Amino acid sequence: MSKLKTVALTLLASALAISLILYPRDALSASLRGLDLWWEVVFPSLLPFFITAELLIGFGVVHGLGALSERLMRPLFNVPGCGGFVWVMGMASGYPSGAKWTADLRKKGQVTRIEAERLVAFTNASSPLFIFGAIAVGFFHDASLGILIAAAHYGGNFLVGMAMRFYKKHEEESPMDRKSSTWRDAFHKMHQSRLEDGRTLGKLMGDAVTRSVDTLLMVGGFIMLFSVLTELLKQTGAIHIFSHLLFYTGIPESFHVPFTAGMLELTTGIGAITETHEPLLSQLVIVSFILGFHGFSIQAQIASILAETDIRFKPYALARIAHGFTAASLVFVLYHLFRPYQQQSMPIWNPNENFTTPIIEFFTHYGPPITLLMIMLMIAVKWNSQRRIKNDPYEYDA
């Protein structure tokens, strides 16, 4: 079996290399599109969340808040209170933030492996910026649809989290401290955690910047890779082979290729779905499923993060399928409740009209310099740390 896997991986890598040689112009264009997305939006929008989370973990704030939210997170999702921080920040900043912070908690021993697998299954979601700005305004050209899509997406994630509380319930590892705490106990835990961390403010800020930028560089690589892969599948016609399998699902034929593209990279697929002439409800159902499934591009990013720990990827993958179907079902139900009271109907699309928001406009103009500045800062911090370690090799020996 391992030999067959080796042969299959070799053939896939060879096919990718040959496709790059045959379609260099298309591959370059797709790579640049992925780079633009990461350069202008993904990096500058996620970096503040990543750095802030690193600082909160280092200062012990997450441990203090976790002690207070134990009484909420344990009965709802059967995870420790510190999972509340991961859940809220994961929804606010978007994937793959939830996986990163879950992995950090696991490395620090704040959650067991089973609890981490439950946590990562529902703490990775699309950010409100992407749902309201890119999808509702940019693709559907109707800002009011953002409420409907967000309600189905986050509602589906919540239901998946509720269901995951029963995951391996009878195989529970030795639990951590499950007792609810008072404000005084929470402050004591926060203070103790900060003392145990032991890093100075300068070292903590340097580590926060370098770790955050390293993670986002990995995310950018996956975005570009799957953007190129999707384009090559279109150019070679291979994407039609996969889309033919959808004939047995009852999905309209005009959705086959866009849906297949969305399973690989959700931004490309969602954009293509909204360009079809199918009814709005059908488009919303397919888009909600893709958002819940995340696409293989984001799943690959999360698999890469989880590979540094003992957290298994399978529970997360199964939860994505459940989230996709749950979100699609919710948007179908909510649509009939939401549409009659909607204040703004879907306008006729004008190609010459620029559908944008102040936030997207900000990232378009200032995202690239922010990205470049933070990469240069990371390089400077790493160079300074290496120089100090070279001069005093025992300074960071801990």
Side-chain angles (χ1 to χ4, degrees):
M1 191 66 181
S2 60
K3 292 182 178 180
L4 290 176
K5 183 178 180 180
T6 301
V7 172
L9 293 175
T10 302
L11 292 176
L12 287 174
S14 301
L16 177 60
I18 294 172
S19 300
L20 288 171
I21 296 173
L22 295 177
Y23 303 97
R25 188 188 300 269
D26 299 302
L28 177 61
S29 299
S31 181
L32 289 175
R33 287 197 300 271
L35 178 61
D36 286 341
L37 175 63
W38 176 79
W39 175 266
E40 294 182 353
V41 178
V42 174
F43 189 100
S45 62
L46 286 185
L47 185 67
F49 287 97
F50 278 28
I51 294 178
T52 302
E54 291 284 350
L55 294 176
L56 290 175
I57 292 174
F59 291 148
V61 176
V62 174
H63 302 82
L65 292 177
L68 291 175
S69 57
E70 180 77 25
R71 66 186 64 189
L72 172 66
M73 298 301 293
R74 184 63 65 182
L76 283 178
F77 308 115
N78 200 13
V79 296
C82 56
F85 166 82
V86 180
W87 182 34
V88 174
M89 292 291 285
M91 285 193 298
S93 57
Y95 21 60
S97 307
K100 180 183 184 301
W101 295 321
T102 301
D104 288 345
L105 292 179
R106 178 59 183 151
K107 290 176 183 177
K108 293 179 180 293
Q110 298 299 310
V111 293
T112 65
R113 182 165 83 160
I114 293 177
E115 289 171 342
E117 290 167 356
R118 292 177 187 148
L119 192 58
V120 79
F122 72 94
T123 55
N124 292 278
S126 182
S127 68
L129 172 65
F130 183 70
I131 290 178
F132 285 90
I135 298 180
V137 177
F139 291 144
F140 282 107
H141 317 312
D142 189 346
S144 62
L145 288 177
I147 300 174
L148 175 62
I149 299 171
H153 184 66
Y154 297 129
N157 221 19
F158 179 82
L159 293 177
V160 168
M162 292 277 288
M164 285 298 293
R165 73 183 310 277
F166 302 104
Y167 167 72
K168 291 189 178 296
K169 190 172 183 179
H170 300 294
E171 301 178 26
E172 192 80 50
E173 303 170 24
S174 299
M176 309 296 177
D177 183 12
R178 296 190 175 194
K179 296 180 180 179
S180 301
S181 303
T182 63
W183 284 96
R184 180 177 297 181
D185 295 333
F187 179 79
H188 177 71
K189 288 186 178 182
M190 181 178 69
H191 179 63
Q192 287 297 117
S193 177
R194 187 187 68 82
L195 294 179
E196 291 173 1
D197 185 276
R199 288 177 292 177
T200 63
L201 178 60
K203 182 66 167 63
L204 183 59
M205 292 185 67
D207 290 346
V209 172
T210 53
R211 291 186 62 187
S212 300
V213 174
D214 281 342
T215 302
L216 287 171
L217 286 173
M218 179 270 296
V219 170
F222 275 109
I223 290 174
M224 295 174 65
L225 172 64
F226 276 85
S227 180
V228 171
L229 180 61
T230 303
E231 183 63 27
L232 291 177
L233 288 176
K234 291 179 180 178
Q235 295 298 324
T236 58
I239 197 169
H240 295 283
I241 298 176
F242 296 105
S243 64
H244 285 328
L245 300 176
L246 298 176
F247 277 110
Y248 305 100
T249 63
I251 297 176
E253 186 174 353
S254 59
F255 281 151
H256 289 181
V257 173
F259 180 79
T260 306
M263 296 291 282
L264 292 171
E265 204 286 308
L266 62 86
T267 307
T268 303
I270 291 175
I273 286 169
T274 57
E275 293 175 357
T276 63
H277 299 289
E278 295 294 332
L280 176 61
L281 178 58
S282 300
Q283 295 182 18
L284 289 171
V285 169
I286 298 297
V287 166
S288 294
F289 179 87
I290 293 176
L291 276 177
F293 184 75
H294 291 180
F296 291 117
S297 174
I298 293 171
Q299 292 194 22
Q301 298 170 28
I302 292 176
S304 177
I305 294 172
L306 298 184
E308 301 175 358
T309 68
D310 61 349
I311 304 173
R312 289 165 290 201
F313 177 76
K314 184 178 178 181
Y316 163 81
L318 295 176
R320 297 286 56 80
I321 298 175
H323 187 194
F325 282 109
T326 304
S329 301
L330 282 177
V331 83
F332 181 84
V333 174
L334 294 176
Y335 177 85
H336 296 90
L337 301 175
F338 168 81
R339 203 61 180 173
Y341 301 98
Q342 186 180 10
Q343 299 295 324
Q344 178 185 354
S345 60
M346 185 175 178
I348 299 176
W349 177 52
N350 181 4
N352 298 319
E353 187 175 354
N354 182 24
F355 290 93
T356 186
T357 65
I359 298 178
I360 293 179
E361 189 174 352
F362 171 83
F363 282 125
T364 301
H365 286 87
Y366 300 105
I370 292 174
T371 303
L372 182 61
L373 176 64
M374 295 309 300
I375 291 177
M376 293 175 63
L377 179 60
M378 183 203 69
I379 295 173
V381 170
K382 279 193 171 182
W383 177 82
N384 185 58
S385 298
Q386 291 174 355
R387 180 178 62 83
R388 294 178 65 179
I389 292 173
K390 184 177 180 181
N391 293 336
D392 187 0
Y394 300 102
E395 179 178 0
Y396 296 108
D397 187 15

